[in-house]
Amino acid sequence: MMKRLFLGLLVAVFMAGCSSVKLDDVPVEDKSASAVPAQPGGAGGATESRVAPVAADSAASTAAGPVNVARLVYFDYDSYVIKPEFQAIIEAHARFLKANGTRRVALEGHTDERGGREYNLALGQRRAEAVRRALALLGVGDNQMEAVSFGKEKPAAPGSDEAAWAKNRRVEIVYR
């Protein structure tokens, strides 16, 4: 009995040291007061937003979430760092959720097929938690969000090449 326990502990320690990714440190920055720089060729060099305003009073927009806003946040390989190009999407969802305090959202973390099942479940959870923390920094209540992981179990794109893997490394924002 003691031998099995020791062997199980040894396997767990070995598995924990297999990755170079630190799953406990989620690098999320509070950028709630920052402005989006104007695009080249923009009006007079002024700061302009690339995201359309969210209408909170429309019945159609409250039924399924913000209108014309993407619901996918993609990640690099073996990473759960939110890329700057997805910050505007997160900000738009935060505005919608703050304006609709009774709405709930599931943040579903996914990975590509590479790596073991347990590792991918943990990485998917870290990705979902990174988006949850970013939304929380923008004022969304914890009671409105749930972070879950599907790991590699629900791929968005079939295949074993970089194009498919890139589409599978994602967090889906699903309104409930």
Side-chain angles (χ1 to χ4, degrees):
M1 178 66 171
M2 231 14 203
K3 189 175 181 180
R4 280 191 208 158
L5 181 62
F6 178 72
L7 184 59
L9 182 62
L10 185 62
V11 169
V13 168
F14 176 75
M15 293 301 290
C18 287
S19 173
S20 62
V21 175
K22 295 179 182 176
L23 295 178
D24 293 330
D25 302 325
V26 179
V28 177
E29 298 177 29
D30 183 1
K31 294 187 175 183
S32 59
S34 66
V36 178
Q39 296 297 319
T47 301
E48 60 186 46
S49 175
R50 295 179 293 189
V51 179
V54 177
D57 57 352
S58 167
S61 70
T62 58
V67 178
N68 297 327
V69 178
R71 295 185 185 190
L72 296 172
V73 176
Y74 292 101
F75 293 84
D76 288 331
Y77 172 71
D78 209 22
S79 172
Y80 54 93
V81 176
I82 298 172
K83 298 187 219 178
E85 61 260 33
F86 296 104
Q87 188 63 36
I89 292 170
I90 291 172
E91 290 170 358
H93 286 283
R95 282 193 303 274
F96 178 83
L97 287 165
K98 284 172 39 179
N100 297 280
T102 59
R103 295 306 311 269
R104 293 184 43 85
V105 67
L107 306 167
E108 299 177 347
H110 299 271
T111 65
D112 61 35
E113 65 186 25
R114 297 173 288 183
R117 183 176 186 271
E118 292 82 13
Y119 176 77
N120 281 325
L121 282 171
L123 181 57
Q125 187 68 35
R126 295 296 181 202
R127 288 175 175 166
E129 288 292 330
V131 174
R132 187 194 62 76
R133 287 186 181 131
L135 288 167
L137 283 171
L138 294 170
V140 178
D142 281 339
N143 62 335
Q144 291 181 267
M145 301 179 286
E146 177 184 15
V148 297
S149 176
F150 290 102
K152 61 183 179 179
E153 304 304 319
K154 292 186 174 186
S160 295
D161 59 358
E162 185 54 42
W165 292 332
K167 290 179 182 174
N168 292 331
R169 297 187 302 257
R170 69 197 188 280
V171 166
E172 293 184 25
I173 301 171
V174 180
Y175 284 84
R176 308 268 179 190

